[in-house]
């Protein structure tokens, strides 16, 4: 029968409730040369009252109108620091009360750390009360003293508000003094009319778009900033100099030498169909006095980008600075009009232009696939990447930006192939403080890899000879832990910092030093110096059993997942447990990549927020990340056989769990978040493998996302049967097992409007299904407030206890 709505927040059972209050480990940051270590105190979960603070949702943005930063922004609450050789961190005591710290940046010389402090507005009408907003602060690392450089004047509504300059001054986006925000009309001034006169303008489902002219006025009000140069010295009053008139600044980027400023501004006409990223935008180069000296691009409204994942905006895009030169601009320009469906020899061209920007741009490179990224090193070495989603292929090229040599192809591979991933190039501060490639004295690269293989995951550090293509292993993670290089401190990799964790020990940082005995060996694993000493915040989980398990589905494809069992549980002695599978499928173009194991076994796994791992405390087994690959090789599209492959994967997981004695049939549940929720509803509709399901923040009717979803690039009208077959809503009459639906009422994720869950619930209710729908006020796609997180865990435990444990 239909039950009344739950009226109050519920608290999960112990020990989950106490665990939610556990202090989180601090975030750790190293100065550019790693001579300073900073620990940043993380807050607990916000209250639902904090999430309920006013917000302005426009053009795909969510703005806090009281503080001029993103709504629901996360903040650090404290800073402690110490030199690398010191064992004890000193708390910074000069921070403001109730510090809310964001936008941290190191100065170019590494001696200062800047940050913004968010202060709430004083009580309305109170004499002398401070306005709300973001102020700029600077921390002197040597003295551990922090001071305010500005009042609450910064504008962080769109992009970062502060950039250091090489002379230790600042370039800031400062709010304009335009009085109170525009007042909304008291009644509609006329109809809202949109029209399309024959254009092809497909778009995925977006949230928080402009809807009425008043929204346009709000956009101009909140995004309007002026650029201000702020010079400051210790113990002296900062000097502010306004260098531009107000504009809708999206990004600001000083050149490496600090003499030029690249700005991107938004201008009309605005769109009611797409978010801010596709609005008309102008990119210019300004001098230090704010005068425009060069227009990089003035791009029109981009409502007509094809939905193919490899399609892009036409015109000059993705501009930036060469990190290894004082002031050389680069940008990317589509050669195929941005339409990836067009046949062409080259898709993109990359150009460079040095200051003073009066010469002809120089063609650096043309990519056959879609340009992906550039990594700068020297005039002889830069790395360029190109990729295509359709083929899952990525190529890496060596460029010589200052030499007349042909590009050198270094590698071609499938970007979903974790086993062949060579690692990411190691970076280091360059001559202008920007990150550039770290090269050995012989000109070799260093590659920091995750080290996935059929035997497991063991990260590594390699030295790569660009001339010969040969690699030398410098270091590899110990077999009984999971360690990754965080920083390489010198050009010969004699010292590097490693972040190391295990199943029972949280991540800590260690300084490793190369010694003669290490020559010719990759096992340089003895920690030289402990840099942090964090302990387990949730010791209850120390004795859980964690195992990467492997099994095979009916078509021979190897699958895997991470199995968790409660402490001291032995299936052979203690028998099977009620079990939850937590899933999230992935699309692949090859069986080889679909079968790979990409989760590390020796990581420190502790639950946060509404993690399904908390169910271990209630006597459940958990198979997390049970792989459910959807493979479409050659010309086949993965989703054309989505249901069949999904069922095969689920059957293989259940057969494995039952065969190992971990679970028993009739006492297994399926659950997932987002695309995992979609999967959950589908498996309940098409199988009887599971006695119940938990679907959080999912999409269930694919006709409501008609221009593509997840990895699907075809539109509803190109693949109507596929869209309909994949929609749990279409098959709601087949869902004959209990389903718990949970959704954030303010979900702004593309494609997962709360309406998706509303409609599935109404369908199941109308069809007589067993279903419960929990809507979480003020929560978005992920759940953040203490009240909502606790309640979600209470709902999950209660649902599984009722329909799984007691069966």
């Amino acid at each position: 029968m239909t039950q009344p709505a739950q009226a109050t927040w519920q608290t999960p059972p112990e020990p989950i409730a106490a665990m939610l209050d556990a202090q989180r480990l601090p975030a750790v940051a190293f100065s550019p040369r790693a001579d300073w270590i900073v620990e940043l105190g993380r807050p607990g979960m916000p209250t639902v009252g904090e999430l309920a603070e006013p917000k302005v949702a426009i053009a795909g943005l969510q703005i806090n109108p009281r503080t001029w930063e993103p709504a629901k922004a996360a903040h650090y609450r404290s800073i402690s620091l110490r030199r690398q050789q010191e064992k004890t961190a000193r708390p910074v005591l000069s921070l403001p009360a109730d510090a809310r710290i964001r936008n941290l940046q190191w100065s170019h010389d590494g001696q200062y750390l800047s940050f913004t402090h968010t202060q709430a507005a004083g009580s309305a009408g109170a004499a002398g009360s401070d306005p709300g907003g973001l102020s700029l602060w600077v921390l002197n690392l040597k003295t551990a003293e922090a001071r305010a450089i500005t009042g609450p004047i910064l504008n962080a509504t769109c992009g970062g508000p502060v950039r250091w300059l090489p002379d230790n001054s600042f370039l800031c986006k400062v709010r304009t003094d335009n009085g109170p925000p525009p007042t909304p009309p008291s009644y509609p001034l006329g109809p809202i009319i949109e029209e399309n006169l024959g254009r092809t303008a497909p778009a995925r489902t977006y949230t928080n778009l402009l809807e009425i002219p008043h929204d346009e006025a709000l956009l101009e009000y909140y995004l309007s900033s002026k650029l201000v140069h702020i010079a400051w010295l210790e113990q002296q009053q900062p000097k502010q100099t306004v260098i531009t008139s107000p504009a809708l600044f999206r990004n600001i980027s000083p050149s490496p030498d600090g003499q030029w400023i690249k700005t991107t501004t938004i201008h009309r006409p605005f769109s009611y169909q797409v978010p801010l990223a596709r609005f008309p935008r102008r990119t210019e180069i300004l001098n230090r006095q704010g005068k425009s000296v060069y227009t990089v691009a003035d791009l029109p409204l981009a409502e007509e980008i094809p939905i193919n994942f490899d399609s892009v905006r036409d015109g000059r895009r993705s501009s930036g600075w060469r990190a290894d030169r004082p002031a050389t601009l680069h940008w990317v320009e589509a050669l195929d009009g941005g339409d990836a469906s067009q046949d062409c020899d080259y898709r993109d061209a990359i150009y460079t232009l040095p200051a003073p920007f009066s010469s002809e741009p120089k063609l650096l490179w043309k990519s056959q696939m879609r340009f992906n990224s550039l990594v700068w090193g020297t005039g002889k070495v830069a790395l360029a990447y190109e990729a295509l989603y359709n083929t899952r292929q990525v190529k890496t090229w060596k460029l010589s930006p200052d030499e007349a040599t042909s590009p050198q192809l270094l590698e071609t591979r499938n970007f979903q192939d974790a086993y062949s991933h060579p690692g990411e190039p190691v970076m280091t501060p360059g001559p202008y403080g920007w990150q550039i490639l770290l090269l050995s004295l012989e000109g070799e690269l260093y590659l920091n890899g995750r080290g996935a293989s059929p035997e497991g995951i063991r990260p590594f550090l390699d030295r790569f000879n660009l001339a010969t293509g040969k690699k030398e292993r410098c270091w590899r993670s110990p077999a009984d832990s999971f360690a990754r290089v965080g920083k390489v401190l010198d050009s010969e990799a004699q010292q590097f910092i490693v972040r190391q964790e295990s199943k029972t020990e949280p991540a800590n940082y260690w300084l490793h030093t190369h010694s003669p005995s290490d020559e010719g060996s990759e096992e340089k694993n003895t920690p030289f110096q402990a840099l942090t000493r964090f302990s387990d915040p949730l010791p209850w989980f120390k004795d859980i059993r964690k195992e990467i398990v492997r099994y095979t589905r009916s078509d021979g494809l190897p699958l895997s997942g991470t199995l968790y069992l409660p402490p001291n549980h032995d299936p052979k002695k203690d028998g099977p447990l009620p079990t939850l599978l937590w899933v999230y499928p992935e699309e692949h173009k090859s069986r080889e990549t679909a079968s790979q194991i990409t989760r590390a076994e020796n990581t420190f796994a502790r639950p946060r927020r509404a993690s399904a791992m908390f169910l271990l405390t209630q006597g459940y087994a958990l198979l997390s990340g049970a792989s459910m690959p959807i493979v479409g090789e050659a010309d086949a599209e993965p989703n054309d056989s989505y249901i069949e492959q999904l069922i095969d994967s689920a059957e293989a997981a259940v057969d494995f769990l039952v065969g190992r004695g971990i679970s028993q049939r009739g006492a297994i549940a399926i659950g997932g978040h987002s695309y995992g929720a979609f999967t959950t509803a589908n498996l309940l509709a098409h199988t009887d493998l599971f006695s119940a399901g938990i679907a959080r923040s999912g999409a269930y009717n694919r006709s409501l996302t008609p221009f593509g979803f997840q990895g699907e690039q075809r539109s509803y009208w190109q693949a109507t049967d596929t869209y309909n077959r994949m929609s749990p809503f279409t098959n709601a009459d087949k869902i004959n097992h209990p389903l718990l639906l949970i959704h954030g009422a303010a979900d702004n994720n593309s494609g997962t409007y709360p309406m998706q869950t509303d409609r599935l619930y109404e369908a199941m209710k109308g069809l007589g299904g067993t279903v419960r729908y929990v809507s979480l006020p003020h929560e978005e796609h992920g759940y953040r407030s203490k009240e909502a997180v606790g309640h979600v865990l209470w709902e999950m435990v209660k649902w599984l206890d009722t329909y799984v444990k007691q069966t």
Side-chain angles (χ1 to χ4, degrees):
M1 64 178 179
T2 301
Q3 297 290 332
Q6 178 66 48
T8 59
W9 297 112
Q10 298 293 322
T11 301
E14 295 295 350
I16 300 176
M19 290 175 176
L20 292 178
D21 290 326
Q23 181 69 42
R24 295 178 62 191
L25 296 177
V28 176
F30 293 86
S31 62
R33 301 294 176 185
D35 47 344
W36 289 95
I37 304 172
V38 171
E39 296 177 13
L40 301 164
R42 306 180 200 255
M45 287 182 287
T47 66
V48 71
E50 292 177 271
L51 296 190
E53 290 182 352
K55 68 178 180 181
V56 175
I58 44 175
L61 303 176
Q62 293 190 80
I63 295 168
N64 186 326
R66 295 175 175 174
T67 60
W68 295 68
E69 65 180 339
K72 305 179 185 179
H75 303 88
Y76 297 111
R77 292 306 183 93
S78 65
I79 303 177
S80 297
L81 62 93
R82 56 192 167 88
R83 293 183 184 273
Q84 187 191 102
Q85 63 272 23
E86 295 175 334
K87 294 184 178 181
T88 304
R90 294 168 289 159
V92 177
L93 302 177
S94 52
L95 295 175
D98 191 29
R100 293 172 178 264
I101 298 163
R102 294 185 71 236
N103 301 303
L104 292 97
Q105 288 188 58
W106 298 99
S107 63
H108 289 223
D109 60 13
Q111 297 305 303
Y112 298 95
L113 179 64
S114 69
F115 57 91
T116 60
H117 164 57
T118 304
Q119 62 188 63
S123 57
S129 64
D130 292 328
L134 272 70
S135 54
L136 172 62
W137 286 65
V138 172
L139 170 63
N140 183 321
L141 300 176
K142 292 181 179 179
T143 65
E145 291 292 325
R147 62 173 291 205
I149 303 299
T150 73
I153 62 173
L154 302 180
N155 190 337
T157 57
C158 181
V162 176
R163 294 296 299 266
W164 281 96
L165 296 174
D167 61 1
N168 279 354
S169 62
F170 293 101
L171 185 67
C172 299
K173 290 195 298 184
V174 171
R175 292 154 42 176
T176 55
D177 186 14
N178 288 335
T183 303
S186 57
Y187 56 90
L189 302 180
I192 305 301
I193 299 173
E194 297 181 47
E195 67 178 7
N196 186 75
L197 305 178
R199 295 183 309 153
T200 300
R204 292 209 168 199
T205 49
Y206 296 110
T207 57
N208 301 323
L209 299 178
L210 300 180
E211 296 180 356
I212 59 176
H214 176 65
D215 292 340
E216 300 183 46
L218 288 175
L219 181 70
E220 293 184 317
Y221 177 82
Y222 283 109
L223 264 62
S224 182
S225 303
K226 53 191 175 185
L227 293 190
V228 176
H229 177 254
I230 301 178
W232 67 282
L233 293 172
E234 300 281 359
Q235 310 304 321
Q236 293 187 18
Q237 187 70 20
K239 180 182 178 181
Q240 299 186 16
T241 305
V242 178
I243 62 174
T244 70
S245 56
L248 308 185
F249 287 101
R250 180 172 171 82
N251 294 306
I252 57 171
S253 176
S255 60
D257 66 1
Q259 298 306 305
W260 309 91
I261 307 163
K262 183 173 75 74
T263 66
T264 299
T265 54
I266 303 300
H267 61 83
R268 288 178 178 271
F270 301 151
S271 171
Y272 288 28
Q273 299 297 316
V274 293
L276 189 79
R278 294 194 180 188
F279 282 17
R281 66 189 191 201
R282 181 180 296 110
T283 300
E284 297 177 280
I285 306 300
L286 314 182
N287 61 21
R288 284 284 291 263
Q289 291 71 47
K291 179 182 177 181
S292 177
V293 297
Y294 184 73
T295 298
V296 182
D298 195 351
L299 301 179
L301 180 65
E303 288 185 337
E304 303 171 25
I305 300 175
I307 61 174
N308 183 299
F309 287 2
D310 294 313
S311 293
V312 296
R313 195 170 191 153
D314 194 15
R316 295 180 177 183
R317 69 182 199 278
S318 301
S319 59
W321 298 104
R322 270 189 66 171
D324 62 325
R325 289 293 180 264
T328 295
L329 186 67
H330 69 86
W331 64 83
V332 185
E333 191 165 353
L335 301 176
D336 58 1
D339 185 353
S341 67
Q342 300 297 315
D343 291 330
C344 57
D345 293 331
Y346 294 97
R347 296 209 173 273
D348 282 320
I350 293 83
Y351 295 90
T352 62
L353 181 64
F357 318 106
S358 55
S359 58
E360 285 296 314
K362 172 188 173 184
L363 175 65
L364 176 65
W365 180 57
K366 291 194 296 185
S367 63
Q368 295 174 327
M369 300 189 292
R370 185 64 70 202
F371 170 81
N372 179 270
S373 60
L374 265 172
V375 183
W376 300 101
T378 67
K380 294 183 178 181
V381 180
L383 298 182
Y385 299 86
E386 59 176 340
L388 274 182
Y389 180 82
N390 280 348
T391 62
R392 308 302 200 272
Q393 191 176 70
V394 61
K395 292 184 179 182
T396 307
W397 295 82
K398 176 204 165 192
L399 308 181
S400 299
D402 296 343
E403 298 180 346
T405 57
S406 298
Q408 175 189 351
L409 180 62
L410 299 179
E411 181 186 51
T412 301
R413 67 181 192 88
N414 184 321
F415 61 66
Q416 288 186 314
D417 185 357
Y419 291 174
S420 71
H421 198 302
E424 302 296 337
V426 175
M427 309 297 287
T428 190
Y432 302 97
W434 289 43
Q435 292 291 305
I436 63 171
L437 290 169
L438 175 64
L439 301 173
S440 72
L441 295 177
E442 292 76 27
E444 298 162 313
L445 289 174
Y446 292 96
L447 298 173
N448 188 4
R450 195 164 185 269
S453 73
E455 290 73 41
I457 295 178
R458 293 182 64 186
F460 60 83
L461 179 68
D462 279 356
R463 184 182 287 112
F464 176 49
N465 188 304
L466 290 165
T468 65
K470 293 182 178 180
K471 296 177 183 177
E472 175 193 356
R473 181 123 312 163
C474 301
W475 171 88
R476 193 181 186 195
S477 172
D480 60 351
S481 65
F482 180 81
R484 289 208 70 174
V485 172
K487 272 183 176 289
V488 180
L489 304 184
D490 62 275
S491 64
E492 300 306 302
Q494 298 296 304
Q495 282 195 326
F496 46 92
I497 293 172
V498 166
R499 183 182 186 271
Q500 185 164 328
E501 61 188 286
S502 69
K503 291 181 181 180
T504 58
E505 296 295 330
N508 277 290
Y509 291 86
W510 303 82
L511 177 66
H512 284 239
T513 299
H514 181 82
S515 65
S517 61
D518 291 328
E519 292 292 342
S521 170
E522 67 180 30
E523 304 293 340
K524 308 179 181 78
N525 296 319
T526 303
F528 176 76
Q529 178 187 344
L531 300 179
T532 61
R533 295 172 175 81
F534 302 132
S535 58
D536 191 343
L538 294 176
W540 187 94
F541 288 88
K542 186 172 184 179
D543 295 321
I544 65 170
R545 178 178 171 183
K546 177 188 177 185
E547 178 188 358
I548 301 295
V549 295
R550 298 165 173 81
Y551 48 96
T552 305
R553 84 182 184 190
S554 62
D555 63 356
L557 187 68
L559 303 178
S560 62
T562 306
L563 175 66
Y564 296 96
L565 298 178
N568 304 316
H569 181 82
D570 184 344
K572 293 182 179 179
K573 296 179 181 179
D574 305 321
L577 290 173
T579 303
L580 173 65
L581 269 69
W582 200 253
V583 297
Y584 194 99
E586 292 182 349
E587 296 93 339
H588 289 263
K589 289 298 289 181
S590 79
R591 290 171 59 87
E592 288 72 19
T593 65
S595 65
Q596 292 181 351
I597 297 172
T598 57
R599 291 192 174 198
E601 187 162 14
N602 292 314
T603 55
F604 182 73
R606 296 296 181 267
R608 284 195 59 232
R609 293 184 178 171
S611 168
M613 279 187 67
F614 280 117
L615 291 166
L616 295 171
T617 68
Q618 307 302 305
Y620 288 87
L622 172 66
L623 183 60
S624 179
S627 57
M628 295 189 170
I630 311 300
V631 185
E633 295 187 296
D635 293 332
E637 289 294 333
N639 284 335
D640 289 343
S641 56
Y642 171 87
I643 297 297
E644 293 82 359
Q645 295 192 60
L646 198 67
I647 293 172
D648 286 349
S649 296
E651 287 178 341
V654 170
D655 289 346
F656 165 78
L657 291 168
V658 173
R660 277 272 300 263
I662 294 162
S663 315
Q664 65 181 11
R665 297 186 189 276
I668 304 175
I670 183 74
H673 191 95
S674 193
Y675 206 52
F678 170 76
T679 301
T680 294
N682 262 315
L683 285 171
L684 291 185
H686 296 286
T687 77
D688 290 316
L689 293 168
F690 305 102
S691 54
I694 300 173
R696 303 189 332 200
S697 297
Y700 310 104
N701 184 346
R702 298 279 52 136
S703 71
L704 298 178
T705 54
F707 288 105
F709 59 91
Q710 204 69 10
E712 179 58 64
Q713 301 181 84
R714 297 169 297 178
S715 75
Y716 178 82
W717 297 272
Q718 293 172 312
T720 305
D721 290 344
T722 297
Y723 273 66
N724 289 337
R725 288 184 69 240
M726 290 181 68
S727 294
F729 179 83
T730 308
N731 299 281
D733 58 326
K734 301 174 185 175
I735 301 177
N736 53 14
H737 293 284
L739 177 59
L740 172 62
L741 295 167
I742 302 175
H743 214 123
D747 191 343
N748 64 335
N749 184 59
S750 176
T752 56
Y753 296 145
M755 176 177 61
Q756 292 270 4
T757 299
D758 296 342
R759 295 295 177 262
L760 182 60
Y761 171 74
E762 292 295 336
M764 289 187 64
K765 183 179 74 169
L767 292 164
T770 300
V771 61
R772 179 178 173 89
Y773 177 22
V774 181
S775 179
L776 305 171
H778 306 294
E779 294 289 346
E780 297 180 352
H781 194 58
Y783 317 139
R784 295 181 54 194
S785 73
K786 182 177 180 179
E787 294 90 341
V789 167
H791 188 89
V792 166
L793 291 169
W794 177 82
E795 292 278 0
M796 292 172 65
V797 171
K798 181 182 177 183
W799 196 255
L800 296 181
D801 282 354
T802 302
Y803 296 108
V804 180
K805 184 178 283 187
Q806 297 179 11
T807 56

